[in-house]
């Protein structure tokens, strides 16, 4: 049986009170709608159509070719939104999942269970439901003695007995595809809002004698729809704990899960330890037996095994095995640190390569540089890469020693095994194996201070 998905992502989300289109608000580093798309992608759908409206171009920019698109120019309700996919899916045979783009917590397993229940019951429509201890404001799902759905009653229309029902409609559905689009033509907007509502399709199919079933999820948290910043924070917290639990079950030690943020796309190897206050963002990959944190921020980096990063930040870079970084270091984008590199306190690396075993232990700036193996950069070493108009390259070859408080004025090359005396300002290339001293000779004026003080 062919499977399709329609993702509703056209609403503006006025309650978010934001310039950012609602479904693009991130949860654990990824837009809500992208979570939904990625979960749906695991179900081997034949076609996935996202209904877009406000901010359509930005949604396309984020999602790219992960799905097809249909435009809802006017937001006239959920049934109207689904109908915009008719040109793409209207003639297809199979089962269609309809899900909102602001429900990032729903899992592929729940979606699959819903579709399997739909097939098992041979229903024309199946509703994803949940039990709520406080169902106020939700539509109630009323079942018959066979467990099939009789109707969905909105809270304001429910009688006293129906108000006691705790099974609610979550807003996620499965439909026989052709039955869905046929019924959509019969939905009217005869209601207070003047909109076309998708739940009306259930009533239309029921009146035709079709079977309507419901699948009840055990985890109501999955069904959370994000409509404001409060719900966004709730979704973030639920997703964060879900991600952290997964890593811990896979062999990662997280000292304080409540104070540790790991993005949905990050990967961490076994026996790594994550300390509190750490944020691992984007598509970061961390190897085994690493120590990360406390209070470190790592984004879109690849980190090797047994590396330590304490109280430091690293972005869009590659970090090797057995590297020691921090405290208070900053690894800026497009940097590559080889194995056994040491980057100490208050060191900044930018768009540079450091070879195996090289060290910058304190108070240095290394920018636009190619540093070889086993190079020692003394305290206060600086590659002076910017002349006010352009950036220039510094090359430091293997086994060179750069003394404290040295300025290397790029473009410049420090030869293999050479030695830069402390306090030097290097403006010319240094040949291999040389000692370079570029500073004024010291002059001592004996008795100068006594004479000055006697004036």
């Amino acid at each position: 049986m062919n499977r399709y998905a329609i993702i509703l992502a056209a609403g503006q989300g006025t309650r978010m009170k934001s310039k950012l289109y609602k479904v693009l608000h991130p949860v654990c580093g990824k837009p809500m709608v992208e979570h939904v798309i990625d979960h749906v992608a695991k179900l081997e759908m034949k076609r996935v159509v996202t209904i877009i409206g406000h901010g359509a171009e930005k949604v396309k920019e984020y999602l790219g070719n992960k799905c097809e698109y249909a435009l809802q120019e006017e937001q006239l309700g959920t049934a109207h939104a689904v109908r915009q996919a008719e040109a793409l899916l209207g003639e297809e045979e199979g089962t269609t999942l309809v899900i909102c783009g602001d429900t990032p917590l729903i899992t592929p397993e729940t979606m699959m269970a819903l579709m399997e229940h739909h097939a098992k019951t041979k229903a024309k429509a199946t509703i994803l439901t949940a039990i709520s201890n406080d169902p106020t404001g939700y539509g109630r799902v009323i079942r018959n003695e066979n467990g099939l759905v009789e109707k969905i009653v909105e809270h304001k229309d429910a009688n006293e007995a129906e108000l006691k029902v705790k099974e609610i409609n979550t807003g996620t559905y499965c439909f026989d595809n052709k039955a869905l689009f046929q019924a959509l033509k019969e939905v009217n907007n005869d209601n207070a809002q003047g909109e076309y509502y998708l739940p009306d399709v259930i009533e239309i199919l029921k009146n035709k004698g079709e079977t309507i079933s419901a699948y009840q999820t055990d985890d109501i948290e999955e069904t959370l729809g994000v409509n404001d910043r409060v719900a966004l924070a709730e979704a973030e917290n639920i997703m964060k704990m879900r991600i952290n639990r997964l890593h811990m079950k896979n062999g990662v030690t997280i000292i304080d899960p409540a104070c540790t943020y790991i993005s949905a796309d990050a990967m961490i190897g076994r026996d790594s330890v994550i300390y509190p206050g750490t944020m691992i963002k984007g598509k970061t990959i961390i190897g085994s037996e690493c120590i990360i944190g406390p209070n470190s921020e790592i984004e879109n980096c690849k980190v090797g095994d047994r590396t330590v990063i304490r109280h430091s930040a690293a972005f869009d870079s590659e970090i090797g095995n057995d590297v020691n970084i921090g405290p208070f270091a900053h690894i800026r984008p497009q940097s590559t640190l080889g194995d056994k590199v040491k980057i100490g306190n208050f060191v900044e690396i930018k768009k540079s390569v450091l070879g195996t075993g090289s060290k910058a232990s304190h108070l240095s700036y290394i920018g636009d540089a190619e540093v070889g193996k086993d190079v020692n950069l003394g305290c206060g070493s600086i590659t002076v890469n910017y002349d006010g108009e352009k950036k220039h390259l510094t090359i430091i070859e293997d086994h060179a020693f750069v003394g404290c408080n040295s300025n290397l004025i790029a473009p410049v090359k420090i030869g293999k095994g050479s030695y830069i005396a402390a306090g030097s300002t290097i403006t010319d290339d240094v040949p291999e194996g040389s000692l370079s001293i570029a500073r004024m000779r010291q002059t001592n004026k004996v008795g100068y201070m006594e004479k000055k003080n006697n004036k």
Side-chain angles (χ1 to χ4, degrees):
M1 176 65 71
N2 292 327
R3 292 173 176 157
Y4 310 93
I6 297 174
I7 298 169
L8 305 182
Q12 186 173 8
T14 55
R15 281 183 282 174
M16 298 295 287
K17 293 182 169 61
S18 174
K19 292 180 181 178
L20 183 63
Y21 184 42
K22 182 175 79 166
V23 297
L24 293 182
H25 279 267
V27 173
C28 289
K30 188 158 67 173
M32 289 189 282
V33 69
E34 190 173 6
H35 279 289
V36 176
I37 287 279
D38 288 349
H39 293 161
V40 166
K42 296 177 181 179
L43 304 179
E44 299 182 356
M45 298 291 192
K46 185 176 180 181
R47 298 177 75 175
V48 177
V49 178
T50 300
I51 310 300
I52 52 178
H54 294 284
E57 292 306 313
K58 287 188 177 294
V59 175
K60 285 185 176 182
E61 183 180 331
Y62 271 95
L63 298 181
N65 60 2
K66 288 186 174 184
C67 60
E68 301 175 72
Y69 301 94
L71 180 64
Q72 186 186 23
E73 294 183 2
E74 292 184 89
Q75 278 64 63
L76 300 177
T78 50
H80 179 260
V82 173
R83 194 169 180 181
Q84 306 314 301
E86 185 172 11
L88 297 171
L89 300 181
E91 297 303 316
E92 299 282 5
E93 296 275 359
T95 298
T96 296
L97 174 73
V98 178
I99 187 169
C100 294
D102 62 2
T103 55
L105 299 174
I106 192 165
T107 63
E109 291 77 15
T110 295
M111 295 181 197
M112 179 59 75
L114 172 66
M115 290 189 291
E116 289 176 347
H117 184 81
H118 176 78
K120 180 180 177 180
T121 57
K122 299 181 180 179
K124 291 295 183 182
T126 303
I127 308 159
L128 180 65
T129 71
I131 298 297
S132 173
N133 292 327
D134 180 13
T136 303
Y138 288 96
R140 308 303 205 277
V141 176
I142 310 302
R143 297 180 185 246
N144 62 22
E145 63 277 6
N146 296 320
L148 298 176
V149 175
E150 280 288 333
K151 57 182 175 179
I152 300 173
V153 181
E154 295 303 319
H155 180 88
K156 63 181 181 299
D157 299 322
N159 59 36
E160 188 174 343
E162 291 166 342
L163 286 173
K164 293 179 181 179
V165 174
K166 294 187 175 183
E167 186 175 16
I168 62 167
N169 175 21
T170 67
T172 297
Y173 308 89
C174 260
F175 295 97
D176 174 271
N177 189 70
K178 285 201 168 181
L180 167 64
F181 284 103
Q182 185 59 44
L184 283 170
K185 296 174 183 178
E186 301 179 38
V187 175
N188 62 54
N189 62 345
D190 185 17
N191 53 64
Q193 299 298 320
E195 294 187 351
Y196 300 88
Y197 294 131
L198 189 58
D200 289 353
V201 169
I202 303 297
E203 188 70 18
I204 291 168
L205 293 174
K206 183 69 174 61
N207 291 338
K208 292 182 177 181
E210 303 289 3
T211 297
I212 310 297
S213 68
Y215 173 76
Q216 186 183 111
T217 177
D218 294 328
D219 186 0
I220 193 171
E221 286 184 341
E222 286 193 28
T223 69
L224 176 69
V226 176
N227 292 309
D228 57 27
R229 306 290 181 128
V230 175
L232 183 66
E234 186 179 350
E236 180 87 16
N237 189 56
I238 294 168
M239 180 75 78
K240 178 184 73 173
M241 296 308 294
R242 181 190 291 176
I243 291 169
N244 289 353
R245 281 195 297 268
L246 179 63
H247 285 293
M248 289 187 284
K249 288 181 178 179
N250 286 337
V252 177
T253 295
I254 301 178
I255 301 299
D256 187 351
C259 295
T260 303
Y261 170 96
I262 303 173
S263 77
D265 292 329
M267 300 173 64
I268 306 175
R270 289 183 177 180
D271 293 316
S272 287
V273 180
I274 313 299
Y275 280 87
T278 294
M279 302 181 72
I280 300 172
K281 303 161 72 175
K283 298 183 183 297
T284 293
I285 300 173
I286 294 174
S288 301
E289 301 178 61
C290 293
I291 297 174
I292 309 296
N295 304 314
S296 292
E297 182 180 4
I298 304 172
E299 183 171 359
N300 294 323
C301 289
K302 183 178 180 181
V303 180
D305 298 334
R306 300 174 301 281
T307 286
V308 177
I309 304 176
R310 289 192 173 96
H311 295 283
S312 297
F315 305 94
D316 301 289
S317 294
E318 186 165 340
I319 300 166
N321 301 315
D322 303 293
V323 175
N324 200 311
I325 297 174
F328 314 118
H330 186 186
I331 312 301
R332 290 171 57 188
Q334 299 181 56
S335 295
T336 301
L337 308 184
D339 296 343
K340 300 182 180 180
V341 164
K342 180 181 179 183
I343 304 297
N345 52 291
F346 303 106
V347 174
E348 181 176 350
I349 309 293
K350 174 255 177 185
K351 199 177 181 181
S352 296
V353 177
L354 274 73
T356 301
S358 289
K359 300 176 181 179
S361 296
H362 3 252
L363 301 161
S364 294
Y365 170 73
I366 310 301
D368 297 282
E370 294 178 3
V371 180
K373 298 185 295 184
D374 296 314
V375 171
N376 186 87
L377 297 161
C379 180
S381 298
I382 296 173
T383 61
V384 186
N385 58 335
Y386 186 47
D387 64 7
E389 294 182 1
K390 295 180 180 180
K391 301 288 178 71
H392 299 279
L393 179 67
T394 296
I395 298 174
I396 306 173
E397 294 186 335
D398 297 349
H399 309 294
F401 184 97
V402 179
C404 294
N405 293 320
S406 294
N407 298 308
L408 309 180
I409 312 296
V412 71
K413 179 179 179 180
I414 310 302
K416 184 177 180 180
S418 59
Y419 194 107
I420 307 300
S424 294
T425 295
I426 304 299
T427 57
D428 299 318
D429 290 351
V430 178
E432 180 179 330
S434 299
L435 167 64
S436 182
I437 306 171
R439 61 192 183 206
M440 294 290 291
R441 284 188 175 274
Q442 181 174 327
T443 301
N444 296 330
K445 296 188 176 182
V446 178
Y448 173 82
M449 292 306 299
E450 183 178 357
K451 292 176 183 179
K452 179 180 178 182
N453 293 334
N454 288 335
K455 285 184 180 180

